[in-house]
Amino acid sequence: MNHPSLRIQPRLNAEIPPALDQLPPVLARVYAARGVQHPDELELSLKKLLPAQDLLGLPAALDRLEFALDQQQQILIVGDFDADGATSTALMILALRDMGAQVDFLVPDRFKYGYGLTPEIVELAIANGQPDLIVTVDNGISSHAGVDRAHLAGIEVIITDHHLTSKQPPKACAVVNPNQPNCPFVSKALAGVGVAFYLLAALATRRKQAGKPSSRLTDYLDLVALGTVADVAPLDRNNRILVAQGLQRINRRQCRVGILALLAVARREPEQLTAQDLGFVLGPRINAAGRMDNMRIGILCLIAEHLADAELLAQQLEQLNQQRRQVESEMKQSALDLLAQRSLFESATAGELPDAIVLYEPTWHQGVIGIVAGRLKEQFHRPSIVFAPSDATCQVLKGSARSIAGVHIRDAIEQVAEQHQGMITHFGGHAMAAGLTLPAQYLAGFQQAFTQIVAAHAPELFQPILAVDGELTADEFSLAFAHQLAEAGPWGQAFPAPVFTGEFQVLEHRWLQDKHLKLMLRHPKGGQWLEAMLFNADQQAWPQEIRQVQLAYQLDINQFRGESRV
């Protein structure tokens, strides 16, 4: 199966605004290419956050929560089974407990109940001791039937969510979601944990002013940063503030002991953690609970008060993550084998990729399909959906979708649902990631309909592009400049870390573990020698003798045995 060829091109570099002239030239160039117009936009203090009062539904949610707190009513948090859902649930539990609430949480087991506030989850809540109020976090915007079932039992519901919807929200007593119709909140990029933070911060302020037990929400910004980055939320200015503030707390070890315990099992130092590490180091370990077992373990780790308890839970999460890696590796190889079977794609000419990848195998693990879809999307630069059976009967399939820039995958799935009534029973998500459920008998029809919708997009979207931020001079390969770049973040989704390009002389190269290529380089205009690593390289693609290379690279600091090197 041919891989699409990568095109390297300069980032769309708008003219550098005069207001950025006071910055170092490289930083001015990098920021301008990311839409920054003024140095004020780089100030990431909490006082620059967007005001909470613009969130539609906020006053009604505050009134109902205040009543529940004053009357000592039983509140139940219903979360989602990913890192955003786990951090949102933990945040709600901790802050509401500070305020004196009677509060507990319930996380759906993805293998039994599926996603969101379903009628079955409400039944489970009733069976466990009926709450007076259910608050959803990171879900609920499409849970019409669940809200109706709760009302039938006399339970009121507040929905906090960030997922997209084209329909009217359920008839809950309050719905707080910047992406619901008619919400004037400017940033649509908040993660579920960001929405929960805004609601709780407004509640804490109101209670503090009234002289009631309150909570200091800044203490929990570590959770907000983790959930935001792990959910790949776009880092607009508002989210960059939340992430930067939370990351500072982790760097200073002023964070949950559960986060410290997770970093310890990952052998990472909190002081050196970056925003990207929240997604690559912490996120997968939290997510492993929801993928392989039950997210309850992840939430208990995040709300643990004592390090010893957190360490035990972190060890469990580490084991689940190792198990997840093994399953993922096997499933990805199986997916590649399926892709290699030409008969899968009758419309594709030999060796050509289809416009969309849609795969299913009855033995696949439902908890890992999202990661495998993401891996296929990265490797082949195609919108990818991976299905697994929802139970042993294989009659119903659960799918997880990942997309490329320019193909809004939730909307594409909605188009299929509108064109083929009854084909898809449930779906939801964002532009880049979504989930869906359909009867197994409709898989072939769905594959055809979805691929046709994707194929209607502009052909250039299917060629992967690596956007680069120009070249560096020899004297910019310094520790001081590398530190400057690191501190210029947080970098992440929609605000990517700088990638530079240039030619280098190769002084020496060697292979590590037969898969990682280590290079010793020198800039053609002199300067110090530089160490470079290409992880998981294809040995066949590299000649025996390498004298000169054109590289696209990120500048980083390697800290080893107390020594720092570019």
Side-chain angles (χ1 to χ4, degrees):
M1 186 63 66
N2 293 332
H3 292 223
S5 58
L6 181 71
R7 192 164 89 240
I8 292 175
Q9 71 177 36
R11 214 173 275 288
L12 289 174
N13 209 345
E15 199 174 319
I16 297 171
L20 299 183
D21 282 349
Q22 59 191 277
L23 298 175
V26 177
L27 284 186
R29 183 172 87 218
V30 165
Y31 282 136
R34 284 151 186 77
V36 174
Q37 294 293 305
H38 198 277
D40 285 358
E41 295 170 52
L42 305 173
E43 192 193 325
L44 302 180
S45 65
L46 287 170
K47 65 177 185 287
K48 298 290 184 180
L49 281 174
L50 293 168
Q53 60 260 32
D54 289 348
L55 280 165
L56 185 67
L58 188 76
L62 292 174
D63 289 345
R64 184 63 189 86
L65 277 170
E66 183 89 331
F67 181 79
L69 286 162
D70 291 344
Q71 301 299 314
Q72 284 292 285
Q73 288 188 332
Q74 190 62 42
I75 303 170
L76 182 71
I77 311 302
V78 175
D80 185 17
F81 36 67
D82 65 2
D84 187 16
T87 51
S88 307
T89 303
L91 180 64
M92 278 278 178
I93 292 287
L94 293 163
L96 289 175
R97 277 183 188 166
D98 290 345
M99 298 181 208
Q102 301 292 313
V103 61
D104 200 359
F105 70 92
L106 182 62
V107 180
D109 181 325
R110 79 196 300 158
F111 308 112
K112 287 184 192 168
Y113 303 108
Y115 167 79
L117 183 68
T118 59
E120 293 82 2
I121 287 294
V122 177
E123 299 285 357
L124 192 61
I126 295 166
N128 289 355
Q130 182 163 329
D132 300 290
L133 174 66
I134 288 175
V135 181
T136 72
V137 288
D138 191 32
N139 75 91
I141 198 65
S142 302
S143 299
H144 296 78
V147 171
D148 292 345
R149 177 65 191 94
H151 287 164
L152 202 62
I155 304 168
E156 291 199 89
V157 180
I158 294 172
I159 288 169
T160 77
D161 200 352
H162 70 123
H163 290 94
L164 303 172
T165 178
S166 56
K167 300 182 174 66
Q168 283 303 308
K171 292 183 169 64
C173 66
V175 178
V176 185
N177 178 350
N179 286 302
Q180 68 180 306
N182 307 316
C183 180
F185 192 78
V186 175
S187 172
K188 305 301 179 185
L190 281 179
V193 71
V195 178
F197 173 81
Y198 262 92
L199 173 59
L200 290 163
L203 181 63
T205 301
R206 181 197 274 204
R207 288 180 66 79
K208 188 178 178 186
Q209 288 168 350
K212 295 175 181 177
S214 186
S215 176
R216 196 166 65 180
L217 264 294
T218 51
D219 287 351
Y220 304 124
L221 280 163
D222 54 339
L223 295 173
V224 182
L226 171 54
T228 299
V229 175
D231 210 50
V232 203
L235 293 192
D236 63 1
R237 186 192 183 183
N238 208 58
N239 275 346
R240 290 207 319 279
I241 293 170
L242 293 172
V243 171
Q245 294 289 332
L247 188 60
Q248 280 174 24
R249 296 192 69 83
I250 298 172
N251 293 152
R252 297 193 298 254
R253 294 180 180 258
Q254 295 172 335
C255 59
R256 302 300 306 164
V257 292
I259 288 179
L260 293 177
L262 284 167
L263 288 173
V265 297
R267 296 180 183 163
R268 299 298 288 266
E269 294 298 328
E271 293 81 3
Q272 293 164 16
L273 208 70
T274 66
Q276 292 102 308
D277 293 331
L278 296 173
F280 292 114
V281 178
L282 291 174
R285 287 169 169 84
I286 296 282
N287 275 326
R291 294 187 186 284
M292 308 308 294
D293 191 335
N294 187 302
M295 187 45 95
R296 190 169 186 86
I297 306 166
I299 294 165
L300 289 174
C301 183
L302 292 174
I303 65 175
E305 294 298 330
H306 304 291
L307 186 58
D309 297 334
E311 284 170 343
L312 285 172
L313 291 158
Q315 286 293 347
Q316 286 182 54
L317 290 170
E318 180 66 11
Q319 286 163 10
L320 288 169
N321 195 44
Q322 297 292 346
Q323 188 186 333
R324 184 271 305 168
R325 280 181 175 158
Q326 180 63 32
V327 171
E328 178 202 329
S329 173
E330 291 165 4
M331 278 175 58
K332 189 188 172 195
Q333 188 53 54
S334 170
L336 293 175
D337 293 344
L338 276 177
L339 267 177
Q341 293 170 17
R342 160 80 180 77
S343 59
L344 262 177
F345 305 109
E346 288 161 15
S347 60
T349 55
E352 254 188 26
L353 277 169
D355 294 301
I357 294 172
V358 180
L359 297 177
Y360 163 66
E361 178 63 48
T363 58
W364 284 350
H365 192 296
Q366 199 190 125
V368 185
I369 51 176
I371 302 182
V372 175
R375 298 279 186 254
L376 294 172
K377 182 265 294 187
E378 286 162 17
Q379 185 166 335
F380 297 109
H381 198 70
R382 293 289 186 273
S384 299
I385 306 182
V386 176
F387 284 94
S390 69
D391 58 32
T393 67
C394 297
Q395 296 298 302
V396 176
L397 307 183
K398 293 282 177 71
S400 199
R402 298 292 182 269
S403 198
I404 58 175
V407 179
H408 194 302
I409 204 147
R410 185 210 162 273
D411 287 0
I413 292 167
E414 185 174 41
Q415 273 183 269
V416 177
E418 286 170 351
Q419 290 171 11
H420 304 272
Q421 297 292 321
M423 179 180 276
I424 300 170
T425 53
H426 300 92
F427 71 92
H430 313 288
M432 302 301 280
L436 70 158
T437 305
L438 51 81
Q441 72 209 58
Y442 294 133
L443 177 64
F446 171 81
Q447 182 184 25
Q448 187 178 9
F450 177 75
T451 303
Q452 280 176 353
I453 286 164
V454 171
H457 288 76
E460 56 267 23
L461 292 177
F462 301 101
Q463 180 177 28
I465 291 169
L466 180 62
V468 293
D469 293 285
E471 298 195 16
L472 294 180
T473 60
D475 59 358
E476 280 163 340
F477 291 95
S478 67
L479 279 172
F481 182 67
H483 278 296
Q484 225 176 14
L485 272 183
E487 288 159 12
W491 309 106
Q493 181 69 15
F495 202 79
V499 175
F500 302 105
T501 188
E503 279 196 6
F504 296 87
Q505 297 161 5
V506 180
L507 305 179
E508 63 177 77
H509 79 278
R510 60 195 169 99
W511 289 91
L512 308 179
Q513 299 168 10
D514 284 332
K515 60 178 182 176
H516 307 312
L517 177 61
K518 184 170 185 175
L519 300 165
M520 303 307 293
L521 307 171
R522 179 171 281 143
H523 194 282
K525 291 186 180 166
Q528 61 179 313
W529 57 266
L530 301 157
E531 213 171 66
M533 283 290 292
L534 177 61
F535 293 102
N536 300 309
D538 178 1
Q539 231 174 325
Q540 305 303 315
W542 286 85
Q544 289 297 313
E545 286 301 314
I546 314 170
R547 301 259 168 84
Q548 190 105 349
V549 283
Q550 173 85 26
L551 296 182
Y553 62 91
Q554 289 187 313
L555 195 65
D556 206 348
I557 298 165
N558 183 25
Q559 291 171 321
F560 186 64
R561 292 180 181 163
E563 195 180 342
S564 296
R565 278 190 183 152
V566 175

PDB file of all heavy atoms in Angstrom, residues 196-213:
ATOM      1  N   ALA A 196     -16.547  22.682  32.767  1.00  0.00           N
ATOM      2  CA  ALA A 196     -16.753  22.402  34.199  1.00  0.00           C
ATOM      3  C   ALA A 196     -16.039  23.448  35.061  1.00  0.00           C
ATOM      4  O   ALA A 196     -16.580  23.929  36.063  1.00  0.00           O
ATOM      5  CB  ALA A 196     -16.250  20.999  34.533  1.00  0.00           C
ATOM      6  N   PHE A 197     -14.826  23.829  34.654  1.00  0.00           N
ATOM      7  CA  PHE A 197     -14.056  24.832  35.399  1.00  0.00           C
ATOM      8  C   PHE A 197     -14.799  26.161  35.440  1.00  0.00           C
ATOM      9  O   PHE A 197     -14.908  26.798  36.496  1.00  0.00           O
ATOM     10  CB  PHE A 197     -12.678  25.005  34.749  1.00  0.00           C
ATOM     11  CG  PHE A 197     -11.864  26.128  35.333  1.00  0.00           C
ATOM     12  CD1 PHE A 197     -11.148  25.950  36.509  1.00  0.00           C
ATOM     13  CD2 PHE A 197     -11.824  27.378  34.718  1.00  0.00           C
ATOM     14  CE1 PHE A 197     -10.405  26.995  37.059  1.00  0.00           C
ATOM     15  CE2 PHE A 197     -11.087  28.421  35.254  1.00  0.00           C
ATOM     16  CZ  PHE A 197     -10.375  28.228  36.429  1.00  0.00           C
ATOM     17  N   TYR A 198     -15.294  26.606  34.301  1.00  0.00           N
ATOM     18  CA  TYR A 198     -16.017  27.880  34.246  1.00  0.00           C
ATOM     19  C   TYR A 198     -17.238  27.866  35.171  1.00  0.00           C
ATOM     20  O   TYR A 198     -17.490  28.824  35.912  1.00  0.00           O
ATOM     21  CB  TYR A 198     -16.444  28.180  32.804  1.00  0.00           C
ATOM     22  CG  TYR A 198     -15.497  29.120  32.088  1.00  0.00           C
ATOM     23  CD1 TYR A 198     -14.435  28.635  31.339  1.00  0.00           C
ATOM     24  CD2 TYR A 198     -15.678  30.495  32.156  1.00  0.00           C
ATOM     25  CE1 TYR A 198     -13.568  29.497  30.687  1.00  0.00           C
ATOM     26  CE2 TYR A 198     -14.817  31.369  31.502  1.00  0.00           C
ATOM     27  CZ  TYR A 198     -13.758  30.860  30.766  1.00  0.00           C
ATOM     28  OH  TYR A 198     -12.898  31.716  30.136  1.00  0.00           O
ATOM     29  N   LEU A 199     -18.028  26.790  35.100  1.00  0.00           N
ATOM     30  CA  LEU A 199     -19.230  26.689  35.941  1.00  0.00           C
ATOM     31  C   LEU A 199     -18.863  26.712  37.422  1.00  0.00           C
ATOM     32  O   LEU A 199     -19.456  27.455  38.224  1.00  0.00           O
ATOM     33  CB  LEU A 199     -19.984  25.396  35.593  1.00  0.00           C
ATOM     34  CG  LEU A 199     -21.174  25.023  36.481  1.00  0.00           C
ATOM     35  CD1 LEU A 199     -22.239  26.113  36.472  1.00  0.00           C
ATOM     36  CD2 LEU A 199     -21.785  23.695  36.042  1.00  0.00           C
ATOM     37  N   LEU A 200     -17.858  25.934  37.799  1.00  0.00           N
ATOM     38  CA  LEU A 200     -17.471  25.829  39.216  1.00  0.00           C
ATOM     39  C   LEU A 200     -16.840  27.121  39.718  1.00  0.00           C
ATOM     40  O   LEU A 200     -17.066  27.522  40.872  1.00  0.00           O
ATOM     41  CB  LEU A 200     -16.507  24.654  39.397  1.00  0.00           C
ATOM     42  CG  LEU A 200     -17.137  23.268  39.224  1.00  0.00           C
ATOM     43  CD1 LEU A 200     -16.060  22.217  39.003  1.00  0.00           C
ATOM     44  CD2 LEU A 200     -18.015  22.902  40.422  1.00  0.00           C
ATOM     45  N   ALA A 201     -16.045  27.783  38.861  1.00  0.00           N
ATOM     46  CA  ALA A 201     -15.421  29.046  39.275  1.00  0.00           C
ATOM     47  C   ALA A 201     -16.484  30.110  39.543  1.00  0.00           C
ATOM     48  O   ALA A 201     -16.408  30.865  40.520  1.00  0.00           O
ATOM     49  CB  ALA A 201     -14.439  29.519  38.207  1.00  0.00           C
ATOM     50  N   ALA A 202     -17.509  30.155  38.678  1.00  0.00           N
ATOM     51  CA  ALA A 202     -18.605  31.116  38.880  1.00  0.00           C
ATOM     52  C   ALA A 202     -19.385  30.785  40.150  1.00  0.00           C
ATOM     53  O   ALA A 202     -19.767  31.685  40.916  1.00  0.00           O
ATOM     54  CB  ALA A 202     -19.534  31.106  37.664  1.00  0.00           C
ATOM     55  N   LEU A 203     -19.597  29.489  40.408  1.00  0.00           N
ATOM     56  CA  LEU A 203     -20.306  29.065  41.623  1.00  0.00           C
ATOM     57  C   LEU A 203     -19.490  29.400  42.872  1.00  0.00           C
ATOM     58  O   LEU A 203     -20.034  29.900  43.875  1.00  0.00           O
ATOM     59  CB  LEU A 203     -20.573  27.554  41.549  1.00  0.00           C
ATOM     60  CG  LEU A 203     -21.340  26.926  42.723  1.00  0.00           C
ATOM     61  CD1 LEU A 203     -22.750  27.502  42.832  1.00  0.00           C
ATOM     62  CD2 LEU A 203     -21.396  25.403  42.576  1.00  0.00           C
ATOM     63  N   ALA A 204     -18.177  29.157  42.806  1.00  0.00           N
ATOM     64  CA  ALA A 204     -17.306  29.436  43.955  1.00  0.00           C
ATOM     65  C   ALA A 204     -17.304  30.932  44.277  1.00  0.00           C
ATOM     66  O   ALA A 204     -17.361  31.329  45.455  1.00  0.00           O
ATOM     67  CB  ALA A 204     -15.886  28.959  43.661  1.00  0.00           C
ATOM     68  N   THR A 205     -17.259  31.769  43.233  1.00  0.00           N
ATOM     69  CA  THR A 205     -17.269  33.224  43.438  1.00  0.00           C
ATOM     70  C   THR A 205     -18.572  33.659  44.096  1.00  0.00           C
ATOM     71  O   THR A 205     -18.577  34.440  45.054  1.00  0.00           O
ATOM     72  CB  THR A 205     -17.090  33.950  42.083  1.00  0.00           C
ATOM     73  OG1 THR A 205     -15.849  33.542  41.513  1.00  0.00           O
ATOM     74  CG2 THR A 205     -17.099  35.458  42.255  1.00  0.00           C
ATOM     75  N   ARG A 206     -19.690  33.150  43.606  1.00  0.00           N
ATOM     76  CA  ARG A 206     -20.999  33.508  44.160  1.00  0.00           C
ATOM     77  C   ARG A 206     -21.090  33.113  45.639  1.00  0.00           C
ATOM     78  O   ARG A 206     -21.555  33.889  46.479  1.00  0.00           O
ATOM     79  CB  ARG A 206     -22.114  32.815  43.355  1.00  0.00           C
ATOM     80  CG  ARG A 206     -23.518  33.151  43.868  1.00  0.00           C
ATOM     81  CD  ARG A 206     -24.571  32.181  43.356  1.00  0.00           C
ATOM     82  NE  ARG A 206     -25.075  32.579  42.044  1.00  0.00           N
ATOM     83  CZ  ARG A 206     -26.293  32.215  41.585  1.00  0.00           C
ATOM     84  NH1 ARG A 206     -27.085  31.463  42.329  1.00  0.00           N
ATOM     85  NH2 ARG A 206     -26.692  32.583  40.403  1.00  0.00           N
ATOM     86  N   ARG A 207     -20.619  31.915  45.964  1.00  0.00           N
ATOM     87  CA  ARG A 207     -20.727  31.434  47.347  1.00  0.00           C
ATOM     88  C   ARG A 207     -19.774  32.195  48.286  1.00  0.00           C
ATOM     89  O   ARG A 207     -20.105  32.477  49.431  1.00  0.00           O
ATOM     90  CB  ARG A 207     -20.455  29.925  47.399  1.00  0.00           C
ATOM     91  CG  ARG A 207     -21.616  29.123  46.802  1.00  0.00           C
ATOM     92  CD  ARG A 207     -21.366  27.640  46.836  1.00  0.00           C
ATOM     93  NE  ARG A 207     -21.322  27.104  48.186  1.00  0.00           N
ATOM     94  CZ  ARG A 207     -22.398  26.838  48.937  1.00  0.00           C
ATOM     95  NH1 ARG A 207     -23.615  27.098  48.480  1.00  0.00           N
ATOM     96  NH2 ARG A 207     -22.256  26.320  50.127  1.00  0.00           N
ATOM     97  N   LYS A 208     -18.594  32.516  47.759  1.00  0.00           N
ATOM     98  CA  LYS A 208     -17.642  33.275  48.572  1.00  0.00           C
ATOM     99  C   LYS A 208     -18.217  34.655  48.925  1.00  0.00           C
ATOM    100  O   LYS A 208     -18.112  35.120  50.070  1.00  0.00           O
ATOM    101  CB  LYS A 208     -16.324  33.427  47.804  1.00  0.00           C
ATOM    102  CG  LYS A 208     -15.198  34.035  48.638  1.00  0.00           C
ATOM    103  CD  LYS A 208     -13.902  34.129  47.852  1.00  0.00           C
ATOM    104  CE  LYS A 208     -12.823  34.789  48.687  1.00  0.00           C
ATOM    105  NZ  LYS A 208     -11.591  35.027  47.913  1.00  0.00           N
ATOM    106  N   GLN A 209     -18.848  35.303  47.925  1.00  0.00           N
ATOM    107  CA  GLN A 209     -19.447  36.616  48.155  1.00  0.00           C
ATOM    108  C   GLN A 209     -20.595  36.550  49.155  1.00  0.00           C
ATOM    109  O   GLN A 209     -20.864  37.513  49.868  1.00  0.00           O
ATOM    110  CB  GLN A 209     -19.932  37.210  46.823  1.00  0.00           C
ATOM    111  CG  GLN A 209     -18.785  37.656  45.909  1.00  0.00           C
ATOM    112  CD  GLN A 209     -19.229  37.970  44.493  1.00  0.00           C
ATOM    113  OE1 GLN A 209     -20.370  37.687  44.107  1.00  0.00           O
ATOM    114  NE2 GLN A 209     -18.321  38.548  43.699  1.00  0.00           N
ATOM    115  N   ALA A 210     -21.274  35.379  49.209  1.00  0.00           N
ATOM    116  CA  ALA A 210     -22.400  35.213  50.141  1.00  0.00           C
ATOM    117  C   ALA A 210     -21.943  34.685  51.502  1.00  0.00           C
ATOM    118  O   ALA A 210     -22.772  34.408  52.371  1.00  0.00           O
ATOM    119  CB  ALA A 210     -23.429  34.265  49.526  1.00  0.00           C
ATOM    120  N   GLY A 211     -20.612  34.500  51.669  1.00  0.00           N
ATOM    121  CA  GLY A 211     -20.095  34.014  52.944  1.00  0.00           C
ATOM    122  C   GLY A 211     -20.357  32.540  53.196  1.00  0.00           C
ATOM    123  O   GLY A 211     -20.364  32.074  54.336  1.00  0.00           O
ATOM    124  N   LYS A 212     -20.552  31.775  52.106  1.00  0.00           N
ATOM    125  CA  LYS A 212     -20.812  30.329  52.227  1.00  0.00           C
ATOM    126  C   LYS A 212     -19.528  29.552  51.921  1.00  0.00           C
ATOM    127  O   LYS A 212     -18.611  30.096  51.299  1.00  0.00           O
ATOM    128  CB  LYS A 212     -21.910  29.912  51.240  1.00  0.00           C
ATOM    129  CG  LYS A 212     -23.279  30.538  51.518  1.00  0.00           C
ATOM    130  CD  LYS A 212     -24.249  30.145  50.409  1.00  0.00           C
ATOM    131  CE  LYS A 212     -25.620  30.779  50.636  1.00  0.00           C
ATOM    132  NZ  LYS A 212     -26.543  30.464  49.528  1.00  0.00           N
ATOM    133  N   PRO A 213     -19.445  28.264  52.321  1.00  0.00           N
ATOM    134  CA  PRO A 213     -18.268  27.457  51.973  1.00  0.00           C
ATOM    135  C   PRO A 213     -18.027  27.479  50.465  1.00  0.00           C
ATOM    136  O   PRO A 213     -18.960  27.275  49.678  1.00  0.00           O
ATOM    137  CB  PRO A 213     -18.642  26.043  52.445  1.00  0.00           C
ATOM    138  CG  PRO A 213     -19.671  26.257  53.502  1.00  0.00           C
ATOM    139  CD  PRO A 213     -20.427  27.497  53.115  1.00  0.00           C
TER     140      PRO A 213
END
